[in-house]
């Protein structure tokens, strides 16, 4: 394997990673891969034992179910492979990680803690010798240095916005409104009464809570569904079965209560398409969502049609829900389609329609198809012959894998697909 552009990725201190370092990483990567999520599982147990305070930052449900361990292993493997094959980090994948880290208020010193326990895990599980340890330590140091630099840029950019801040800020619940049988909308206003920063539609805020009955503080990320430019932030939360945070928000959090919020972060938004749309104002947009995955799409669609600079570009919206009782924001979306009949095309799938759900085939119909989303039924509505068409989708992990696979089979190029994973970042195409 030829190592190209080795100077693109720098070790700490500004040195380029050497061919020897990369050779050693390449030689031992199969052993790390064979260990799989067991490697990252050992790492987390080791780190939390030494630093239990970090449990106040990590999602305990993701830890119990192994999702965080799998996500970290995939990220480590992706970084190593990309460096070996291309001499640089997978910047597109890492950008989402950087935003999550900023939302979690990750600090540079925490990268040193992670380094200690990743190297310790390699020693305890693989015992490869000091030379290999030095190579992995050098690689991790380069990755960490890049992460710290990029995340500081994002922190400063957000902090410098009018009404922006770094870290956590107190907000008060000013409205709590059910939007379906399982989804409730919460609106928060700053407790200090000062200005809040604007966000890019598709971004999220992070809610931090620690009721007296919880052992650790917990944080969850929720897409912003409020209009840009208002004096409050709104989120929509699905009550998950046995969900620690979602159950508390639905059952216990009341108007007047205070919570801590992070500033808006996230790179799943329409901002990256602005240059394309400037050169091709008619480039169509396709939005696909399932369940509570509807939330990041709401702000994006509302901004396109009712924002400061409304656009006439065509939008196709495909949504999947269990039934009408769990279909949040349906009336709002039907109204938006009614207000823009020549610009918005919507189609909805109900997996198990209720007896009172009304099926039809017009843009105003509550729903259109039964069962799981099948894009072959709407091929004529999709801009498959438009090379500049952009596809945004969000929903449960397995649904995104299914929909992403369907889009690829229909001939959509991977670079035109944009998706958001709730929870630990994962590559749905892996």
């Amino acid at each position: 394997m030829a190592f190209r552009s080795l100077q693109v990725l720098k070790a700490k201190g500004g040195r380029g990673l050497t061919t020897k370092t990369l050779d050693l990483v390449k030689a031992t990567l199969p052993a790390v891969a064979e260990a799989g999520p067991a490697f990252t599982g050992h790492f987390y147990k080791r780190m939390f034992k030494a630093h239990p305070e970090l449990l106040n930052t990590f999602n305990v449900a993701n830890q119990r179910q192994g999702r965080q361990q799998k996500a970290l292993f995939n990220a480590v493997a992706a970084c190593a492979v990309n460096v070996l094959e291309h001499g640089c980090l997978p910047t597109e994948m890492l950008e989402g990680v950087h935003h999550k880290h900023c939302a979690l208020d990750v600090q540079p010193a925490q990268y040193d803690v992670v380094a200690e326990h990743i190297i310790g895990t390699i020693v305890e599980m693989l015992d490869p010798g000091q030379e290999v340890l030095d190579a992995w330590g050098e690689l991790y140091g380069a990755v960490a240095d890049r992460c710290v630099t990029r995340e500081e840029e994002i922190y400063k950019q957000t902090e410098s916005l009018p009404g922006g801040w770094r870290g956590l800020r107190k907000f008060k619940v000013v409205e709590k409104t059910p939007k379906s049988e399982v989804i409730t909308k919460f609106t928060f206003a700053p407790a200090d009464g000062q200005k809040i920063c604007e966000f890019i539609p598709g971004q999220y805020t992070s809610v931090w809570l620690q009721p007296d009955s919880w052992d650790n503080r917990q944080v969850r990320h929720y897409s912003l569904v409020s209009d840009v430019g208002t004096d409050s932030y709104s989120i929509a939360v699905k009550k998950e079965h046995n969900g620690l945070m979602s159950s508390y928000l639905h059952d216990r959090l009341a108007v007047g209560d205070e919570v801590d919020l992070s500033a808006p972060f996230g790179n799943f938004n329409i901002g990256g398409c602005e240059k394309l749309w400037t050169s091709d104002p008619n480039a169509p947009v396709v939005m696909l969502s399932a369940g509570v995955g509807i939330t990041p799409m709401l702000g994006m669609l509302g901004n396109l049609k009712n924002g400061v600079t409304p656009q006439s570009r065509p939008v196709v919206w495909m949504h999947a829900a269990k039934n009408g009782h769990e279909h949040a924001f349906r009336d709002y979306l039907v109204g938006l389609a009614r207000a823009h009949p020549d610009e918005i095309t919507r189609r909805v799938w109900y997996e198990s329609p209720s007896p009172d759900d009304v099926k039809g085939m017009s843009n105003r119909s509550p729903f259109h198809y039964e069962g799981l989303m099948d894009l072959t039924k709407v091929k004529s509505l999709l801009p498959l012959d438009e090379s500049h068409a952009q596809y945004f989708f969000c929903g449960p992990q397995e649904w995104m894998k299914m929909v992403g696979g369907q889009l690829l089979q229909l001939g959509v190029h991977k670079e035109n697909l944009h998706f958001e994973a709730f929870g630990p970042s994962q590559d749905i195409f892996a």
Side-chain angles (χ1 to χ4, degrees):
M1 176 184 298
F3 299 118
R4 301 186 297 275
S5 305
L6 297 185
Q7 298 299 318
V8 171
L9 187 64
K10 300 286 186 178
K12 281 195 172 183
R15 304 184 314 277
L17 293 174
T18 65
T19 299
K20 180 181 179 180
T21 291
L22 295 175
D23 280 338
L24 289 168
V25 170
K26 177 188 175 184
T28 51
L29 183 58
V32 174
E34 185 177 354
F39 179 91
T40 45
H42 184 91
F43 156 77
Y44 277 118
K45 289 179 182 178
R46 194 181 196 280
M47 184 176 70
F48 288 145
K49 182 178 180 180
H51 296 274
E53 72 279 3
L54 291 178
L55 288 167
N56 291 316
T57 299
F58 284 85
N59 183 321
V60 293
N62 287 336
Q63 288 291 324
R64 284 197 301 267
Q65 297 168 19
R67 291 196 295 261
Q68 186 66 51
Q69 292 89 326
K70 183 177 180 180
L72 176 60
F73 172 76
N74 289 340
V76 169
C79 286
V81 169
N82 219 75
V83 169
L84 291 173
E85 293 185 350
H86 305 292
C88 61
L89 292 171
T91 54
E92 184 176 352
M93 180 204 79
L94 285 175
E95 186 66 9
V97 174
H98 297 324
H99 279 265
K100 283 282 177 70
H101 284 178
C102 291
L104 294 170
D105 197 28
V106 169
Q107 301 300 313
Q110 291 171 308
Y111 281 98
D112 295 333
V113 172
V114 170
E116 174 188 349
H117 294 284
I118 281 185
I119 298 302
T121 298
I122 293 175
V123 170
E124 293 165 0
M125 293 193 69
L126 305 176
D127 193 20
Q130 190 61 45
E131 191 173 46
V132 171
L133 290 178
D134 289 344
W136 276 93
E138 187 177 345
L139 175 61
Y140 175 81
V143 174
D145 198 41
R146 178 65 60 84
C147 289
V148 168
T149 299
R150 175 61 186 140
E151 286 157 24
E152 181 61 21
E153 291 174 353
I154 297 172
Y155 279 130
K156 287 182 176 178
Q157 181 181 14
T158 303
E159 190 178 21
S160 66
L161 295 171
W165 72 96
R166 182 189 292 233
L168 308 186
R169 185 174 171 184
K170 289 287 184 186
F171 280 73
K172 184 176 292 187
V173 181
V174 295
E175 186 179 331
K176 181 178 180 180
T177 309
K179 305 304 292 187
S180 77
E181 288 187 350
V182 294
I183 296 177
T184 295
K185 179 181 176 183
F186 299 84
T187 299
F188 306 97
D192 58 14
Q194 300 299 307
K195 182 179 176 63
I196 58 174
C197 58
E198 292 189 359
F199 61 92
I200 303 173
Q203 290 189 309
Y204 54 82
T205 187
S206 304
V207 179
W208 301 72
L209 286 173
Q210 188 176 3
D212 293 338
S213 59
W214 293 4
D215 293 332
N216 299 103
R217 182 181 63 176
Q218 286 292 281
V219 57
R220 298 292 187 273
H221 312 295
Y222 296 108
S223 299
L224 290 158
V225 299
S226 44
D227 292 332
V228 175
T230 62
D231 58 0
S232 61
Y233 293 140
S234 293
I235 61 174
V237 181
K238 179 183 179 183
K239 186 176 182 180
E240 302 287 355
H241 179 64
N242 292 328
L244 181 65
M245 179 73 85
S246 66
S247 294
Y248 184 89
L249 293 175
H250 275 252
D251 300 337
R252 304 290 299 277
L253 193 70
V255 171
D257 289 348
E258 288 190 346
V259 300
D260 289 319
L261 297 184
S262 299
F265 292 104
N267 65 327
F268 177 68
N269 55 70
I270 58 177
C273 295
E274 290 173 350
K275 183 176 181 181
L276 165 65
W277 288 345
T278 299
S279 61
D280 188 353
N282 296 315
V285 178
V286 179
M287 297 181 175
L288 307 98
S289 55
V292 76
I294 196 172
T295 53
M297 306 298 186
L298 288 171
M300 295 161 69
L301 181 63
N303 186 66
L304 281 173
K305 297 306 172 187
N306 295 332
V308 177
T309 57
Q311 301 178 25
S312 60
R313 74 182 64 258
V315 175
V316 177
W317 182 307
M318 306 291 174
H319 183 67
K322 184 176 181 180
N323 52 51
H325 298 288
E326 296 193 11
H327 186 176
F329 299 97
R330 182 176 68 185
D331 293 343
Y332 167 78
L333 291 167
V334 169
L336 203 57
R338 184 181 293 116
H340 303 274
D342 299 324
E343 301 167 14
I344 298 177
T345 301
R346 55 178 292 276
R347 291 294 183 268
V348 176
W349 281 257
Y350 284 171
E351 184 176 356
S352 303
S354 300
D356 57 345
D357 286 329
V358 179
K359 182 179 179 181
M361 288 308 295
S362 78
N363 230 17
R364 303 178 183 181
S365 300
F367 86 106
H368 308 84
Y369 302 102
E370 294 184 30
L372 300 177
M373 184 176 287
D374 179 0
L375 298 181
T376 62
K377 293 183 177 181
V378 292
K379 282 180 64 175
S380 62
L381 300 178
L382 297 175
L384 297 175
D385 57 345
E386 296 276 355
S387 61
H388 285 177
Q390 301 298 310
Y391 295 74
F392 298 84
F393 55 108
C394 183
Q397 196 75 22
E398 290 306 313
W399 176 87
M400 290 201 300
K401 289 181 179 179
M402 178 189 74
V403 168
Q406 289 186 38
L407 290 169
L408 291 176
Q409 289 176 358
L410 289 171
V412 179
H413 295 299
K414 188 175 179 181
E415 57 266 27
N416 291 1
L417 302 180
H418 316 273
F419 65 91
E420 173 84 326
F422 289 154
S425 299
Q426 297 185 37
D427 184 357
I428 64 168
F429 301 113

